[in-house]
């Protein structure tokens, strides 16, 4: 979340910057709550001072042998007033907190202003899209023709936007995840982490999915119909957990409420997990095939770094994701997202878009973001700086890569006229030496 002191010192400026992100900050409500907070804090301090002074009178009166019942009654009344004022202050602080929890991050100065993906800026391209001398098929037609993608069975099992992969395509999907993990660990210096696929609400608040994007999440209600959002389970109030929308959530929350020693920075973590998203509000978009699914796999990269190093880390993070596409010889471009197209927690985001021949366009396959201290402030994730004082960390995350979309790109870019698909050389050792998916081989 944003530092509330920024809002207190220059509210109009911050509100104007948030407008470029499509967010209207409630200035009047914030000012009213701040006025109440200041008034009650002043009143609370006055009550505390008066109670302390009155309490001292009790001892003095007792030493003189005087009746202290009236003074004690006054102290008790002051205590009741103080408790009431503290409750009011707590309520106001909670309202201010709710405003902050749904306020997006400020965009970095280098981010271009804009309202939609039409205003994003291309940074660079790599690779040349292949020229085909036959009619191009999309990944769905390719997979179904091979008998290795079965969307009908998936719909029978779970409904729309799920998939069943078989044989060679299932193996290729697994090979991609292993190839990505090996590359990031062995060449890029990440630590592989296995994380839970179910997390509590505090984790999702920490990385910014809650409360704003509750409808995009899948909740799992365990143990009883009597539910609570509490992260402390009891017999009457069991856990309410959520399926992770991305491994960013558990990976980043590893440092929640921690103070990381300076010498341990940077932390570079990678995890392969399924991801679960309801895709609320995206009805009708990419409903055919593997592009937009309720369940999909992703290899996620997370950096937890010193604030002075975070933009250097962002460039490094993007290069690591690019390296996977280069090894697979898949053409792509890198885009800087504009203010109106960035994710809620991001201060700056690069999207990597892979070339999909059947769509004759580039499509997002990785999104790499620097969240600066936005998530760390929500999580109270800190490190001890050079002076030994606690300071908020900077957090970054990116896909390295989305496994299903990489599979789509391979099926379409490596398709052949006879309906077969050539396996990229970088993956053949993960496929037991298999160099092609073909109908006649049954692979």
């Amino acid at each position: 979340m944003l530092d509330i002191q920024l809002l207190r010192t220059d509210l109009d400026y911050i509100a104007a910057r948030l407008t470029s992100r499509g967010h209207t900050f409630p200035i009047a409500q914030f000012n009213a709550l701040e006025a109440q907070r200041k008034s009650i804090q002043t009143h609370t301090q006055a009550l505390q001072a008066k109670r302390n002074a009155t309490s001292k009178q009790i001892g003095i009166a007792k030493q003189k042998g005087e009746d202290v019942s009236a003074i004690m009654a006054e102290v008790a009344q002051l205590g009741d007033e103080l408790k009431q004022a503290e409750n009011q202050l707590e309520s106001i602080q909670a309202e201010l907190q709710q405003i902050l929890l749904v306020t997006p991050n400020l965009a970095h100065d280098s981010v271009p202003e804009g309202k939609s993906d039409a205003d994003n800026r291309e940074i660079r391209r790599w690779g040349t899209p292949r020229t085909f001398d036959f009619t191009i098929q999309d990944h769905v037609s390719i997979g179904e023709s091979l008998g290795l993608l079965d969307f009908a069975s998936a719909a029978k099992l779970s409904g729309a936007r799920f998939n069943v992969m078989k044989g060679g395509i299932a193996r290729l999907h697994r090979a991609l995840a292993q190839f990505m993990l090996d590359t990031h660990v062995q060449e890029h210096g990440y630590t592989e982490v296995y994380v839970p696929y179910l997390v509590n609400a505090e984790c999702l608040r920490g990385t910014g999915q809650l409360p704003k994007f509750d409808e995009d999440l899948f909740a799992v209600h365990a143990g009883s119909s009597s539910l609570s959002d509490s992260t402390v389970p009891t017999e009457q109030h069991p856990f309410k957990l959520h399926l992770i929308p991305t491994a960013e959530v558990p990976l980043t929350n590893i440092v929640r409420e921690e103070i990381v020693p300076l010498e341990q920075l940077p932390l570079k973590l990678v995890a392969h997990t399924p991801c679960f998203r309801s895709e609320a509000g995206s009805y009708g978009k990419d409903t055919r095939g593997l592009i937009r699914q309720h369940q999909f796999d992703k290899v996620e990269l997370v950096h937890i770094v010193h604030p002075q190093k975070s933009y250097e880390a962002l460039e490094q993070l993007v290069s690591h994701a690019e390296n996977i596409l280069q090894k697979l010889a898949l053409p792509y471009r890198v885009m800087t997202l504009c203010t109106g197209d960035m994710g809620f927690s991001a201060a700056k985001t690069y999207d990597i878009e892979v070339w999909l021949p059947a769509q004759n366009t580039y499509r997002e396959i990785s999104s790499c973001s620097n969240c600066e201290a936005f998530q760390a402030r929500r999580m109270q994730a800190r490190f001890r700086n050079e002076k030994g004082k606690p300071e908020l960390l900077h957090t970054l995350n990116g896909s390295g890569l989305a496994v299903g979309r990489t599979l789509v790109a391979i099926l379409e870019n490596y398709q052949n006229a006879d309906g077969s698909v050539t396996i990229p050389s970088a993956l053949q050792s993960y496929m037991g030496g298999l160099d092609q998916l073909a109908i006649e081989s049954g692979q």
Side-chain angles (χ1 to χ4, degrees):
M1 67 180 70
L2 297 183
D3 184 353
I4 197 169
Q5 294 302 327
L6 286 175
L7 294 163
R8 287 170 176 164
T9 55
D10 204 347
L11 178 58
D12 290 339
Y13 172 69
I14 299 300
R17 288 184 62 185
L18 289 169
T19 300
S20 73
R21 297 217 53 187
H23 180 79
T24 302
F25 189 83
I27 295 176
Q29 181 187 7
F30 182 84
N31 281 332
L33 288 169
E34 274 291 283
Q36 292 178 54
R37 179 189 64 82
K38 291 176 183 178
S39 174
I40 293 173
Q41 277 189 336
T42 300
H43 181 54
T44 300
Q45 291 166 356
L47 286 173
Q48 288 172 333
K50 187 174 181 180
R51 186 179 65 172
N52 291 341
T54 306
S55 295
K56 290 179 181 179
Q57 293 176 16
I58 294 175
I60 296 171
K62 283 184 176 179
Q63 288 177 353
K64 294 179 179 180
E66 297 174 356
D67 182 10
V68 296
S69 57
I71 304 175
M72 291 181 70
E74 183 180 359
V75 169
Q77 182 179 350
L78 287 168
D80 291 341
E81 291 180 31
L82 184 60
K83 182 64 176 176
Q84 184 178 5
E86 289 173 343
N87 288 340
Q88 290 177 326
L89 186 60
E90 184 178 338
S91 176
I92 290 168
Q93 297 282 27
E95 289 188 63
L96 288 168
Q97 183 82 348
Q98 282 303 116
I99 291 174
L100 292 175
L101 284 173
V102 296
T103 300
N105 202 356
L106 294 174
H108 188 263
D109 290 340
S110 64
V111 174
E113 287 203 17
K115 295 182 179 180
S116 71
D117 57 3
D119 301 310
N120 296 339
R121 292 182 184 172
E122 184 175 316
I123 303 300
R124 57 183 171 271
R125 293 191 182 196
W126 186 93
T128 302
R130 174 184 169 190
T131 300
F132 293 84
D133 58 4
F134 57 88
T135 302
I136 299 171
Q137 296 188 75
D138 69 8
H139 71 280
V140 177
S141 297
I142 295 168
E144 290 182 333
S145 296
L146 291 169
L148 304 178
L149 276 182
D150 185 356
F151 292 100
S153 291
K156 179 173 65 175
L157 297 172
S158 303
R161 299 197 185 186
F162 289 91
N163 70 81
V164 168
M165 302 179 194
K166 300 176 181 178
I169 284 183
R171 186 173 185 179
L172 181 57
H173 185 268
R174 173 164 54 90
L176 277 167
Q178 294 304 307
F179 163 70
M180 292 174 190
L181 285 172
D182 286 349
T183 301
H184 293 310
V185 171
Q186 296 169 13
E187 299 182 21
H188 302 153
Y190 288 80
T191 298
E192 184 177 354
V193 184
Y194 176 82
V195 294
Y197 303 160
L198 290 162
V199 294
N200 57 43
E202 194 59 32
C203 286
L204 293 154
R205 277 190 286 270
T207 45
Q209 283 80 13
L210 286 178
K212 188 171 178 63
F213 302 106
D214 186 33
E215 65 177 4
D216 290 322
L217 302 169
F218 284 111
V220 177
H221 299 237
S224 169
S225 60
S226 175
L227 297 171
S228 169
D229 283 329
S230 172
T231 57
V232 180
T234 66
E235 186 176 349
Q236 293 77 26
H237 301 290
F239 273 135
K240 175 183 177 182
L241 298 176
H242 292 82
L243 290 164
I244 58 171
T246 164
E248 169 202 344
V249 177
L251 285 175
T252 309
N253 273 274
I254 287 173
V255 295
R256 189 177 83 230
E257 298 173 357
E258 299 284 341
I259 300 178
V260 180
L262 177 62
E263 59 271 17
Q264 290 186 12
L265 298 179
L267 299 176
K268 293 164 59 179
L269 310 175
V270 60
H272 165 225
T273 69
C275 305
F276 305 89
R277 299 181 187 177
S278 72
E279 296 289 355
S282 63
Y283 182 77
K285 295 173 62 178
D286 297 313
T287 55
R288 174 177 164 82
L290 299 172
I291 295 293
R292 195 179 296 272
Q293 298 268 284
H294 290 311
Q295 175 186 315
F296 60 96
D297 279 43
K298 187 151 63 81
V299 171
E300 185 74 2
L301 308 174
V302 164
H303 287 216
I304 296 162
V305 304
H306 191 293
Q308 295 177 6
K309 301 287 187 178
S310 65
Y311 280 94
E312 176 185 331
L314 178 59
E315 299 300 325
Q316 184 184 78
L317 177 62
V318 175
S319 72
H320 293 162
E322 287 183 76
N323 191 32
I324 299 295
L325 290 172
Q326 290 173 12
K327 285 177 177 288
L328 296 172
L330 291 170
Y332 66 88
R333 66 180 183 179
V334 179
M335 308 289 289
T336 300
L337 298 196
C338 70
T339 53
D341 197 36
M342 288 197 304
F344 178 78
S345 298
K348 184 173 184 176
T349 298
Y350 292 113
D351 268 9
I352 303 174
E353 299 178 347
V354 70
W355 177 255
L356 296 185
Q359 296 187 21
N360 195 37
T361 192
Y362 291 93
R363 294 298 303 268
E364 179 202 334
I365 197 168
S366 174
S367 192
C368 300
S369 299
N370 185 359
C371 300
E372 297 184 353
F374 187 83
Q375 293 177 326
R377 186 171 287 107
R378 296 167 80 103
M379 298 186 300
Q380 279 303 291
R382 298 170 291 171
F383 73 105
R384 291 203 181 275
N385 62 23
E386 292 78 0
K387 296 180 180 179
K389 295 183 179 180
E391 183 180 344
L392 291 171
L393 291 156
H394 278 196
T395 62
L396 302 92
N397 63 79
S399 306
L401 303 162
V403 181
R405 293 193 178 195
T406 310
L407 177 64
V408 168
I410 288 173
L411 293 176
E412 294 194 4
N413 283 278
Y414 282 88
Q415 63 181 291
N416 301 310
D418 62 359
S420 66
V421 177
T422 300
I423 306 296
S425 58
L427 297 175
Q428 289 178 15
S429 63
Y430 292 87
M431 296 288 290
L434 188 69
D435 63 1
Q436 192 177 81
L437 300 180
I439 298 174
E440 54 271 21
S441 69
Q443 298 289 342

